[in-house]
Amino acid sequence: MYPANFEYFAPATLDEALEILGRYDEGEARVLAGGMSLIPVMKLRFAAPRALVDINRIGGLDTLCEGGGRLRIGALVRHKTCERSELLKGRYGALGAAAPQISDPIVRNLGTVAGSLAHADPQGDWGSVMLAVRADVVARSAEGERTIPVEELLQGPFTTSLQPSEIITEVSVPDPGRAGGTYLKLERKVGDFATVGVAVHLTMSNGTVEHAGIALTGVGPTNIRAKAAEEALTAQALDDDAIDEASRLAASSAEPRTDVRGTQEYKRNVVRIFTARGLRKAMEEIEKKEQS
Ligand SMILES: Cc1cc2nc3c(=O)[nH]c(=O)nc-3n(C[C@H](O)[C@H](O)[C@H](O)COP(=O)(O)OP(=O)(O)OC[C@H]3O[C@@H](n4cnc5c(N)ncnc54)[C@H](O)[C@@H]3O)c2cc1C
C-alpha cells in the first residue's frame, strides 16, 4: 500500500526543523530519521502524518564520541556505526553486543539509535540496552532543551514522553568506568525482532556488585527494567546463589504473552537463563579489564 499524501521538508538546521514542527498541530508532523519504522507504518496506514520533517541533512547529528564523562550518540548515528565502533565493543559492552543483532544490514545502514528510542517498540533492542546503562536522551524544542532518562521516555507500546514539538538530538550514556555488560537476544532467524532480549550492565567494587542494570526486550508492553533483580544484586558477591536469585527475579519481572514466537512460560524461562548468562559474561569482562 502507498502512504497517504504528506508534505515533505528537508531542513538544513535544527532550528529550521523545530520551526517547521511548530507550524503543525499536535502529532500532524513527524520527524523522519532512518525511516525504517516510520515508512512501514505509513505504508500500512497506521500513521498518516500531514508532514514529514527529514532531519538527515542537518549537520552535526551523526557524532558518536565520548565527551564530558559521557558517550554521546547523535540523532543520526546509525545502527551500523555502532556495530563498527571499536569504542562500543571495548568500553560499552551492552551497546557493542546489541548493535550487530539489530535486524539485518539494510536496516542497520539506515536506522538510528535515537529513532529506535523515539519509536518505543517493546521489541526494540536499544530500549533495553539504554535502560540497563541508565542512558538519557536530550530533546530540543523551540522552547529549549531537556534531558529525559530513557526510563521516563519509554511510557508504553509505541508511546514516549516526548512532545510532538521535540526532536531528540542525542542519546547520552554515562561513563561505564570498568563496567562489564552484554546483550543476549533470542530470534527465530537472523534479522528478526527479539523473541526475548536481556541487557546486562554491571559494576563491581571490592568484590561486590556496586550497580547492576538489567532490562528485558519483547516480554512486556515496553522494555522492562528488572528492578527487583538489580536491587537483589547490589552489595552482594556475584556467586552462583546471587546469580540464581537475580535471574529468578528478572524472570518474574517479565510480562510475556504467548504468541507465534513462544509461550509465556518459554519466554520467562529464556529471561531467567539469559540473565544468568549475561551476569556471568559481564563479570568475565570486568575481570579481563582488571587484568589489562
Ligand atoms: C525489517 C525490519 C526489521 C527490524 N528489526 C529490528 C530489530 O531486530 N531490533 C530493533 O531494535 N529494531 C528493529 N527494527 C527497527 C529499526 O531498528 C528502526 O531503525 C528503528 O526502530 C527506528 O529508527 P529510524 O531511524 O529508522 O526511525 P524512523 O523510522 O525515521 O522514525 C521512527 C519514529 O521515531 C521518530 N523519530 C525518529 N528520530 C527522531 C528524533 N531524533 N527525535 C524525535 N523523534 C524521532 C519518528 O518521528 C517516528 O515516529 C527493524 C525494522 C525493520 C524495517
Side-chain angles (χ1 to χ4, degrees), residues 30-40 55 75 78-79 101-104 107 110-116 118-119 123-126 162 166-169 185 187 191-194:
R30 299 279 281 271
V31 173
L32 177 71
M36 291 292 96
S37 296
L38 183 55
I39 300 298
I55 60 172
R78 318 280 168 184
H79 310 313
Q101 300 189 69
I102 290 171
S103 190
D104 52 37
V107 171
L110 283 169
T112 62
V113 179
S116 292
H119 188 54
Q123 283 180 304
D125 299 298
W126 286 121
L162 272 184
E166 285 180 316
I167 296 178
I168 296 176
T169 53
K185 176 174 176 178
E187 51 192 0
D192 192 16
F193 282 96

mmCIF file of all heavy atoms in Angstrom, residues 30-40 55 75 78-79 101-104 107 110-116 118-119 123-126 162 166-169 185 187 191-194, ligand 1:
data_model
loop_
_atom_site.group_PDB
_atom_site.id
_atom_site.type_symbol
_atom_site.label_atom_id
_atom_site.label_comp_id
_atom_site.label_asym_id
_atom_site.label_seq_id
_atom_site.Cartn_x
_atom_site.Cartn_y
_atom_site.Cartn_z
ATOM 1 N N ARG A 30 5.761 14.665 11.616
ATOM 2 C CA ARG A 30 6.631 13.678 12.265
ATOM 3 C C ARG A 30 8.060 13.854 11.768
ATOM 4 O O ARG A 30 8.301 14.189 10.598
ATOM 5 C CB ARG A 30 6.172 12.257 11.931
ATOM 6 C CG ARG A 30 4.754 11.923 12.411
ATOM 7 C CD ARG A 30 4.721 11.557 13.883
ATOM 8 N NE ARG A 30 5.170 10.198 14.086
ATOM 9 C CZ ARG A 30 4.358 9.137 14.059
ATOM 10 N NH1 ARG A 30 3.068 9.278 13.825
ATOM 11 N NH2 ARG A 30 4.836 7.924 14.277
ATOM 12 N N VAL A 31 8.982 13.585 12.684
ATOM 13 C CA VAL A 31 10.414 13.593 12.334
ATOM 14 C C VAL A 31 10.719 12.322 11.542
ATOM 15 O O VAL A 31 10.259 11.237 11.894
ATOM 16 C CB VAL A 31 11.258 13.619 13.627
ATOM 17 C CG1 VAL A 31 12.739 13.450 13.324
ATOM 18 C CG2 VAL A 31 10.999 14.902 14.412
ATOM 19 N N LEU A 32 11.494 12.467 10.474
ATOM 20 C CA LEU A 32 11.956 11.308 9.711
ATOM 21 C C LEU A 32 13.463 11.171 9.903
ATOM 22 O O LEU A 32 14.223 12.081 9.568
ATOM 23 C CB LEU A 32 11.642 11.487 8.222
ATOM 24 C CG LEU A 32 12.144 10.368 7.306
ATOM 25 C CD1 LEU A 32 11.336 9.085 7.500
ATOM 26 C CD2 LEU A 32 12.092 10.799 5.842
ATOM 27 N N ALA A 33 13.899 10.039 10.452
ATOM 28 C CA ALA A 33 15.350 9.788 10.600
ATOM 29 C C ALA A 33 15.714 8.695 9.595
ATOM 30 O O ALA A 33 15.787 8.952 8.390
ATOM 31 C CB ALA A 33 15.675 9.418 12.039
ATOM 32 N N GLY A 34 15.896 7.450 10.052
ATOM 33 C CA GLY A 34 16.221 6.374 9.112
ATOM 34 C C GLY A 34 15.028 5.903 8.299
ATOM 35 O O GLY A 34 15.183 5.274 7.245
ATOM 36 N N GLY A 35 13.834 6.179 8.792
ATOM 37 C CA GLY A 35 12.613 5.775 8.083
ATOM 38 C C GLY A 35 12.313 4.288 8.164
ATOM 39 O O GLY A 35 11.355 3.807 7.576
ATOM 40 N N MET A 36 13.117 3.562 8.927
ATOM 41 C CA MET A 36 12.967 2.095 8.950
ATOM 42 C C MET A 36 11.720 1.648 9.706
ATOM 43 O O MET A 36 11.242 0.538 9.509
ATOM 44 C CB MET A 36 14.223 1.445 9.568
ATOM 45 C CG MET A 36 15.456 1.543 8.721
ATOM 46 S SD MET A 36 15.308 0.539 7.217
ATOM 47 C CE MET A 36 14.781 1.743 6.038
ATOM 48 N N SER A 37 11.205 2.502 10.557
ATOM 49 C CA SER A 37 9.950 2.169 11.247
ATOM 50 C C SER A 37 8.821 3.072 10.775
ATOM 51 O O SER A 37 7.693 2.608 10.591
ATOM 52 C CB SER A 37 10.130 2.320 12.766
ATOM 53 O OG SER A 37 11.067 1.383 13.213
ATOM 54 N N LEU A 38 9.123 4.348 10.576
ATOM 55 C CA LEU A 38 8.059 5.289 10.209
ATOM 56 C C LEU A 38 7.476 4.982 8.822
ATOM 57 O O LEU A 38 6.253 4.982 8.641
ATOM 58 C CB LEU A 38 8.608 6.731 10.264
ATOM 59 C CG LEU A 38 7.609 7.837 9.968
ATOM 60 C CD1 LEU A 38 6.392 7.747 10.891
ATOM 61 C CD2 LEU A 38 8.260 9.207 10.107
ATOM 62 N N ILE A 39 8.340 4.705 7.852
ATOM 63 C CA ILE A 39 7.820 4.473 6.481
ATOM 64 C C ILE A 39 6.934 3.218 6.439
ATOM 65 O O ILE A 39 5.823 3.279 5.902
ATOM 66 C CB ILE A 39 8.985 4.404 5.451
ATOM 67 C CG1 ILE A 39 9.782 5.724 5.449
ATOM 68 C CG2 ILE A 39 8.479 4.044 4.062
ATOM 69 C CD1 ILE A 39 9.007 6.964 5.045
ATOM 70 N N PRO A 40 7.364 2.086 7.053
ATOM 71 C CA PRO A 40 6.440 0.936 7.059
ATOM 72 C C PRO A 40 5.090 1.244 7.708
ATOM 73 O O PRO A 40 4.059 0.835 7.183
ATOM 74 C CB PRO A 40 7.208 -0.130 7.852
ATOM 75 C CG PRO A 40 8.638 0.240 7.711
ATOM 76 C CD PRO A 40 8.690 1.732 7.577
ATOM 77 N N ILE A 55 15.326 14.883 9.004
ATOM 78 C CA ILE A 55 16.458 15.538 9.687
ATOM 79 C C ILE A 55 17.811 15.101 9.105
ATOM 80 O O ILE A 55 18.862 15.481 9.618
ATOM 81 C CB ILE A 55 16.421 15.291 11.214
ATOM 82 C CG1 ILE A 55 16.480 13.792 11.561
ATOM 83 C CG2 ILE A 55 15.193 15.953 11.837
ATOM 84 C CD1 ILE A 55 16.637 13.498 13.054
ATOM 85 N N ALA A 75 21.671 12.095 16.979
ATOM 86 C CA ALA A 75 20.376 11.612 16.483
ATOM 87 C C ALA A 75 20.492 10.883 15.150
ATOM 88 O O ALA A 75 19.606 10.112 14.798
ATOM 89 C CB ALA A 75 19.407 12.773 16.352
ATOM 90 N N ARG A 78 23.726 5.799 13.030
ATOM 91 C CA ARG A 78 23.012 4.590 12.555
ATOM 92 C C ARG A 78 23.445 3.377 13.374
ATOM 93 O O ARG A 78 24.543 3.349 13.939
ATOM 94 C CB ARG A 78 23.358 4.313 11.077
ATOM 95 C CG ARG A 78 23.398 5.544 10.189
ATOM 96 C CD ARG A 78 22.052 6.008 9.754
ATOM 97 N NE ARG A 78 22.151 7.344 9.145
ATOM 98 C CZ ARG A 78 21.118 8.049 8.727
ATOM 99 N NH1 ARG A 78 19.891 7.588 8.837
ATOM 100 N NH2 ARG A 78 21.277 9.248 8.211
ATOM 101 N N HIS A 79 22.616 2.345 13.326
ATOM 102 C CA HIS A 79 22.983 1.087 13.996
ATOM 103 C C HIS A 79 24.335 0.595 13.457
ATOM 104 O O HIS A 79 25.159 0.074 14.204
ATOM 105 C CB HIS A 79 21.942 -0.008 13.745
ATOM 106 C CG HIS A 79 20.517 0.407 14.020
ATOM 107 N ND1 HIS A 79 20.128 1.068 15.151
ATOM 108 C CD2 HIS A 79 19.382 0.234 13.294
ATOM 109 C CE1 HIS A 79 18.822 1.275 15.121
ATOM 110 N NE2 HIS A 79 18.347 0.781 13.999
ATOM 111 N N GLN A 101 23.160 -7.172 16.393
ATOM 112 C CA GLN A 101 21.990 -8.069 16.464
ATOM 113 C C GLN A 101 20.709 -7.372 16.036
ATOM 114 O O GLN A 101 19.625 -7.965 16.060
ATOM 115 C CB GLN A 101 21.825 -8.598 17.887
ATOM 116 C CG GLN A 101 23.034 -9.393 18.376
ATOM 117 C CD GLN A 101 22.750 -10.077 19.692
ATOM 118 O OE1 GLN A 101 21.967 -11.006 19.758
ATOM 119 N NE2 GLN A 101 23.389 -9.623 20.749
ATOM 120 N N ILE A 102 20.805 -6.102 15.660
ATOM 121 C CA ILE A 102 19.590 -5.395 15.264
ATOM 122 C C ILE A 102 19.291 -5.681 13.798
ATOM 123 O O ILE A 102 20.083 -5.345 12.904
ATOM 124 C CB ILE A 102 19.739 -3.892 15.542
ATOM 125 C CG1 ILE A 102 19.738 -3.705 17.048
ATOM 126 C CG2 ILE A 102 18.617 -3.096 14.888
ATOM 127 C CD1 ILE A 102 20.063 -2.409 17.546
ATOM 128 N N SER A 103 18.218 -6.337 13.568
ATOM 129 C CA SER A 103 17.727 -6.631 12.230
ATOM 130 C C SER A 103 18.822 -7.139 11.295
ATOM 131 O O SER A 103 19.619 -7.982 11.671
ATOM 132 C CB SER A 103 17.032 -5.397 11.656
ATOM 133 O OG SER A 103 16.365 -5.758 10.473
ATOM 134 N N ASP A 104 18.833 -6.579 10.068
ATOM 135 C CA ASP A 104 19.774 -7.034 9.041
ATOM 136 C C ASP A 104 20.588 -5.829 8.565
ATOM 137 O O ASP A 104 20.316 -4.696 8.941
ATOM 138 C CB ASP A 104 19.010 -7.685 7.882
ATOM 139 C CG ASP A 104 17.912 -6.765 7.363
ATOM 140 O OD1 ASP A 104 18.127 -5.537 7.333
ATOM 141 O OD2 ASP A 104 16.834 -7.254 7.000
ATOM 142 N N VAL A 107 18.661 -2.612 7.286
ATOM 143 C CA VAL A 107 18.049 -1.794 8.349
ATOM 144 C C VAL A 107 19.146 -1.096 9.159
ATOM 145 O O VAL A 107 19.026 0.086 9.501
ATOM 146 C CB VAL A 107 17.145 -2.669 9.254
ATOM 147 C CG1 VAL A 107 16.678 -1.898 10.478
ATOM 148 C CG2 VAL A 107 15.945 -3.179 8.460
ATOM 149 N N LEU A 110 20.536 2.262 7.803
ATOM 150 C CA LEU A 110 19.723 3.490 7.840
ATOM 151 C C LEU A 110 19.140 3.807 9.211
ATOM 152 O O LEU A 110 19.041 4.976 9.598
ATOM 153 C CB LEU A 110 18.574 3.383 6.827
ATOM 154 C CG LEU A 110 18.975 3.614 5.381
ATOM 155 C CD1 LEU A 110 17.835 3.224 4.444
ATOM 156 C CD2 LEU A 110 19.352 5.073 5.147
ATOM 157 N N GLY A 111 18.719 2.788 9.925
ATOM 158 C CA GLY A 111 18.044 3.011 11.213
ATOM 159 C C GLY A 111 18.977 3.656 12.221
ATOM 160 O O GLY A 111 20.180 3.412 12.233
ATOM 161 N N THR A 112 18.388 4.487 13.091
ATOM 162 C CA THR A 112 19.185 5.215 14.079
ATOM 163 C C THR A 112 18.843 4.749 15.494
ATOM 164 O O THR A 112 17.730 4.276 15.747
ATOM 165 C CB THR A 112 18.908 6.731 13.983
ATOM 166 O OG1 THR A 112 17.527 6.966 14.287
ATOM 167 C CG2 THR A 112 19.237 7.281 12.603
ATOM 168 N N VAL A 113 19.801 4.971 16.395
ATOM 169 C CA VAL A 113 19.574 4.623 17.805
ATOM 170 C C VAL A 113 18.459 5.518 18.369
ATOM 171 O O VAL A 113 17.516 5.042 19.007
ATOM 172 C CB VAL A 113 20.883 4.809 18.616
ATOM 173 C CG1 VAL A 113 20.653 4.475 20.081
ATOM 174 C CG2 VAL A 113 22.010 3.977 18.027
ATOM 175 N N ALA A 114 18.574 6.823 18.092
ATOM 176 C CA ALA A 114 17.579 7.766 18.630
ATOM 177 C C ALA A 114 16.189 7.462 18.068
ATOM 178 O O ALA A 114 15.187 7.527 18.786
ATOM 179 C CB ALA A 114 17.993 9.201 18.299
ATOM 180 N N GLY A 115 16.138 7.117 16.784
ATOM 181 C CA GLY A 115 14.855 6.780 16.156
ATOM 182 C C GLY A 115 14.233 5.559 16.806
ATOM 183 O O GLY A 115 13.019 5.497 17.018
ATOM 184 N N SER A 116 15.060 4.579 17.145
ATOM 185 C CA SER A 116 14.542 3.385 17.822
ATOM 186 C C SER A 116 13.911 3.760 19.154
ATOM 187 O O SER A 116 12.845 3.256 19.500
ATOM 188 C CB SER A 116 15.673 2.388 18.106
ATOM 189 O OG SER A 116 16.158 1.866 16.914
ATOM 190 N N ALA A 118 12.750 6.707 20.056
ATOM 191 C CA ALA A 118 11.550 7.523 19.823
ATOM 192 C C ALA A 118 10.379 6.654 19.364
ATOM 193 O O ALA A 118 9.223 6.968 19.637
ATOM 194 C CB ALA A 118 11.846 8.605 18.782
ATOM 195 N N HIS A 119 10.688 5.574 18.687
ATOM 196 C CA HIS A 119 9.646 4.676 18.172
ATOM 197 C C HIS A 119 9.040 3.822 19.312
ATOM 198 O O HIS A 119 7.875 3.443 19.268
ATOM 199 C CB HIS A 119 10.259 3.786 17.086
ATOM 200 C CG HIS A 119 9.272 2.958 16.340
ATOM 201 N ND1 HIS A 119 8.173 3.478 15.722
ATOM 202 C CD2 HIS A 119 9.218 1.608 16.129
ATOM 203 C CE1 HIS A 119 7.475 2.504 15.148
ATOM 204 N NE2 HIS A 119 8.090 1.366 15.383
ATOM 205 N N GLN A 123 9.705 -4.401 21.317
ATOM 206 C CA GLN A 123 10.691 -5.375 20.832
ATOM 207 C C GLN A 123 11.965 -4.704 20.337
ATOM 208 O O GLN A 123 12.835 -5.373 19.778
ATOM 209 C CB GLN A 123 10.076 -6.238 19.743
ATOM 210 C CG GLN A 123 9.168 -7.297 20.341
ATOM 211 C CD GLN A 123 8.549 -8.169 19.286
ATOM 212 O OE1 GLN A 123 7.886 -7.666 18.371
ATOM 213 N NE2 GLN A 123 8.758 -9.452 19.396
ATOM 214 N N GLY A 124 12.071 -3.407 20.530
ATOM 215 C CA GLY A 124 13.293 -2.695 20.136
ATOM 216 C C GLY A 124 14.427 -3.064 21.082
ATOM 217 O O GLY A 124 14.240 -3.119 22.306
ATOM 218 N N ASP A 125 15.586 -3.321 20.518
ATOM 219 C CA ASP A 125 16.713 -3.760 21.338
ATOM 220 C C ASP A 125 17.370 -2.609 22.105
ATOM 221 O O ASP A 125 17.797 -2.776 23.245
ATOM 222 C CB ASP A 125 17.750 -4.458 20.446
ATOM 223 C CG ASP A 125 17.172 -5.700 19.770
ATOM 224 O OD1 ASP A 125 16.780 -6.622 20.498
ATOM 225 O OD2 ASP A 125 17.081 -5.732 18.525
ATOM 226 N N TRP A 126 17.448 -1.440 21.476
ATOM 227 C CA TRP A 126 18.154 -0.330 22.142
ATOM 228 C C TRP A 126 17.467 0.096 23.429
ATOM 229 O O TRP A 126 18.121 0.555 24.370
ATOM 230 C CB TRP A 126 18.294 0.883 21.215
ATOM 231 C CG TRP A 126 19.306 0.714 20.126
ATOM 232 C CD1 TRP A 126 19.076 0.794 18.787
ATOM 233 C CD2 TRP A 126 20.713 0.462 20.275
ATOM 234 N NE1 TRP A 126 20.245 0.586 18.093
ATOM 235 C CE2 TRP A 126 21.261 0.385 18.970
ATOM 236 C CE3 TRP A 126 21.550 0.278 21.365
ATOM 237 C CZ2 TRP A 126 22.617 0.145 18.749
ATOM 238 C CZ3 TRP A 126 22.901 0.033 21.143
ATOM 239 C CH2 TRP A 126 23.417 -0.034 19.852
ATOM 240 N N LEU A 162 8.000 12.109 24.875
ATOM 241 C CA LEU A 162 8.411 13.229 24.001
ATOM 242 C C LEU A 162 7.193 14.043 23.593
ATOM 243 O O LEU A 162 6.134 13.468 23.313
ATOM 244 C CB LEU A 162 9.000 12.686 22.699
ATOM 245 C CG LEU A 162 10.474 12.354 22.573
ATOM 246 C CD1 LEU A 162 10.757 11.949 21.138
ATOM 247 C CD2 LEU A 162 11.369 13.493 23.016
ATOM 248 N N GLU A 166 9.173 18.175 19.928
ATOM 249 C CA GLU A 166 10.559 17.919 20.346
ATOM 250 C C GLU A 166 11.287 16.971 19.384
ATOM 251 O O GLU A 166 10.685 16.039 18.849
ATOM 252 C CB GLU A 166 10.578 17.278 21.743
ATOM 253 C CG GLU A 166 10.275 18.268 22.853
ATOM 254 C CD GLU A 166 10.301 17.620 24.236
ATOM 255 O OE1 GLU A 166 9.753 16.506 24.391
ATOM 256 O OE2 GLU A 166 10.861 18.227 25.156
ATOM 257 N N ILE A 167 12.583 17.228 19.250
ATOM 258 C CA ILE A 167 13.455 16.339 18.483
ATOM 259 C C ILE A 167 14.550 15.838 19.425
ATOM 260 O O ILE A 167 15.168 16.643 20.138
ATOM 261 C CB ILE A 167 14.109 17.086 17.287
ATOM 262 C CG1 ILE A 167 13.025 17.539 16.303
ATOM 263 C CG2 ILE A 167 15.142 16.211 16.582
ATOM 264 C CD1 ILE A 167 13.567 18.330 15.109
ATOM 265 N N ILE A 168 14.763 14.542 19.422
ATOM 266 C CA ILE A 168 15.908 14.014 20.187
ATOM 267 C C ILE A 168 17.167 14.403 19.419
ATOM 268 O O ILE A 168 17.284 14.087 18.229
ATOM 269 C CB ILE A 168 15.843 12.476 20.321
ATOM 270 C CG1 ILE A 168 14.614 12.061 21.122
ATOM 271 C CG2 ILE A 168 17.117 11.940 20.982
ATOM 272 C CD1 ILE A 168 14.422 10.545 21.225
ATOM 273 N N THR A 169 18.079 15.087 20.091
ATOM 274 C CA THR A 169 19.322 15.460 19.400
ATOM 275 C C THR A 169 20.445 14.475 19.713
ATOM 276 O O THR A 169 21.339 14.284 18.916
ATOM 277 C CB THR A 169 19.775 16.884 19.787
ATOM 278 O OG1 THR A 169 19.837 16.960 21.219
ATOM 279 C CG2 THR A 169 18.807 17.929 19.242
ATOM 280 N N LYS A 185 20.174 -12.005 22.816
ATOM 281 C CA LYS A 185 18.912 -11.912 22.073
ATOM 282 C C LYS A 185 18.585 -13.266 21.456
ATOM 283 O O LYS A 185 19.419 -13.871 20.788
ATOM 284 C CB LYS A 185 19.081 -10.856 20.966
ATOM 285 C CG LYS A 185 17.883 -10.722 20.049
ATOM 286 C CD LYS A 185 18.075 -9.545 19.084
ATOM 287 C CE LYS A 185 16.943 -9.444 18.090
ATOM 288 N NZ LYS A 185 17.072 -8.294 17.179
ATOM 289 N N GLU A 187 16.283 -14.871 18.652
ATOM 290 C CA GLU A 187 15.447 -14.512 17.496
ATOM 291 C C GLU A 187 15.176 -15.774 16.695
ATOM 292 O O GLU A 187 15.963 -16.712 16.719
ATOM 293 C CB GLU A 187 16.127 -13.424 16.649
ATOM 294 C CG GLU A 187 17.554 -13.738 16.281
ATOM 295 C CD GLU A 187 18.337 -12.563 15.701
ATOM 296 O OE1 GLU A 187 17.806 -11.466 15.566
ATOM 297 O OE2 GLU A 187 19.518 -12.786 15.369
ATOM 298 N N GLY A 191 17.970 -11.477 11.815
ATOM 299 C CA GLY A 191 17.263 -10.303 11.287
ATOM 300 C C GLY A 191 15.894 -10.112 11.893
ATOM 301 O O GLY A 191 15.250 -9.090 11.675
ATOM 302 N N ASP A 192 15.444 -11.078 12.680
ATOM 303 C CA ASP A 192 14.105 -10.975 13.263
ATOM 304 C C ASP A 192 14.146 -10.093 14.512
ATOM 305 O O ASP A 192 15.197 -9.900 15.130
ATOM 306 C CB ASP A 192 13.630 -12.384 13.647
ATOM 307 C CG ASP A 192 12.142 -12.432 13.983
ATOM 308 O OD1 ASP A 192 11.419 -11.473 13.641
ATOM 309 O OD2 ASP A 192 11.711 -13.431 14.588
ATOM 310 N N PHE A 193 12.961 -9.597 14.879
ATOM 311 C CA PHE A 193 12.827 -8.949 16.179
ATOM 312 C C PHE A 193 13.009 -10.005 17.266
ATOM 313 O O PHE A 193 12.851 -11.206 17.029
ATOM 314 C CB PHE A 193 11.441 -8.306 16.305
ATOM 315 C CG PHE A 193 11.323 -6.997 15.577
ATOM 316 C CD1 PHE A 193 10.802 -6.933 14.297
ATOM 317 C CD2 PHE A 193 11.748 -5.816 16.181
ATOM 318 C CE1 PHE A 193 10.687 -5.728 13.630
ATOM 319 C CE2 PHE A 193 11.627 -4.598 15.521
ATOM 320 C CZ PHE A 193 11.101 -4.546 14.243
ATOM 321 N N ALA A 194 13.277 -9.517 18.485
ATOM 322 C CA ALA A 194 13.572 -10.440 19.592
ATOM 323 C C ALA A 194 12.346 -11.233 20.018
ATOM 324 O O ALA A 194 11.270 -10.668 20.183
ATOM 325 C CB ALA A 194 14.096 -9.646 20.788
HETATM 326 C C1 LIG B 1 12.550 -5.374 8.687
HETATM 327 C C2 LIG B 1 12.881 -4.628 9.954
HETATM 328 C C3 LIG B 1 13.444 -5.320 10.999
HETATM 329 C C4 LIG B 1 13.782 -4.664 12.180
HETATM 330 N N1 LIG B 1 14.349 -5.369 13.197
HETATM 331 C C5 LIG B 1 14.688 -4.744 14.339
HETATM 332 C C6 LIG B 1 15.317 -5.444 15.414
HETATM 333 O O1 LIG B 1 15.610 -6.629 15.327
HETATM 334 N N2 LIG B 1 15.605 -4.740 16.528
HETATM 335 C C7 LIG B 1 15.333 -3.412 16.664
HETATM 336 O O2 LIG B 1 15.626 -2.837 17.713
HETATM 337 N N3 LIG B 1 14.770 -2.722 15.662
HETATM 338 C C8 LIG B 1 14.439 -3.347 14.510
HETATM 339 N N4 LIG B 1 13.863 -2.633 13.503
HETATM 340 C C9 LIG B 1 13.559 -1.205 13.697
HETATM 341 C C10 LIG B 1 14.785 -0.376 13.327
HETATM 342 O O3 LIG B 1 15.746 -0.538 14.322
HETATM 343 C C11 LIG B 1 14.479 1.119 13.137
HETATM 344 O O4 LIG B 1 15.630 1.661 12.649
HETATM 345 C C12 LIG B 1 14.153 1.921 14.353
HETATM 346 O O5 LIG B 1 13.058 1.369 15.004
HETATM 347 C C13 LIG B 1 13.746 3.351 14.017
HETATM 348 O O6 LIG B 1 14.835 4.128 13.680
HETATM 349 P P1 LIG B 1 14.765 5.090 12.411
HETATM 350 O O7 LIG B 1 15.943 5.970 12.479
HETATM 351 O O8 LIG B 1 14.578 4.292 11.185
HETATM 352 O O9 LIG B 1 13.449 5.966 12.755
HETATM 353 P P2 LIG B 1 12.265 6.414 11.821
HETATM 354 O O10 LIG B 1 11.611 5.248 11.193
HETATM 355 O O11 LIG B 1 12.686 7.527 10.934
HETATM 356 O O12 LIG B 1 11.301 7.030 12.944
HETATM 357 C C14 LIG B 1 10.676 6.190 13.893
HETATM 358 C C15 LIG B 1 9.840 7.074 14.849
HETATM 359 O O13 LIG B 1 10.718 7.839 15.672
HETATM 360 C C16 LIG B 1 10.525 9.248 15.441
HETATM 361 N N5 LIG B 1 11.873 9.826 15.430
HETATM 362 C C17 LIG B 1 12.957 9.375 14.740
HETATM 363 N N6 LIG B 1 14.040 10.098 15.062
HETATM 364 C C18 LIG B 1 13.637 11.026 15.954
HETATM 365 C C19 LIG B 1 14.298 12.062 16.660
HETATM 366 N N7 LIG B 1 15.618 12.286 16.515
HETATM 367 N N8 LIG B 1 13.574 12.820 17.511
HETATM 368 C C20 LIG B 1 12.252 12.600 17.688
HETATM 369 N N9 LIG B 1 11.564 11.636 17.066
HETATM 370 C C21 LIG B 1 12.252 10.855 16.203
HETATM 371 C C22 LIG B 1 9.798 9.352 14.107
HETATM 372 O O14 LIG B 1 9.006 10.516 14.019
HETATM 373 C C23 LIG B 1 8.946 8.092 14.130
HETATM 374 O O15 LIG B 1 7.809 8.291 14.923
HETATM 375 C C24 LIG B 1 13.529 -3.265 12.307
HETATM 376 C C25 LIG B 1 12.961 -2.564 11.223
HETATM 377 C C26 LIG B 1 12.646 -3.230 10.067
HETATM 378 C C27 LIG B 1 12.075 -2.451 8.923
#
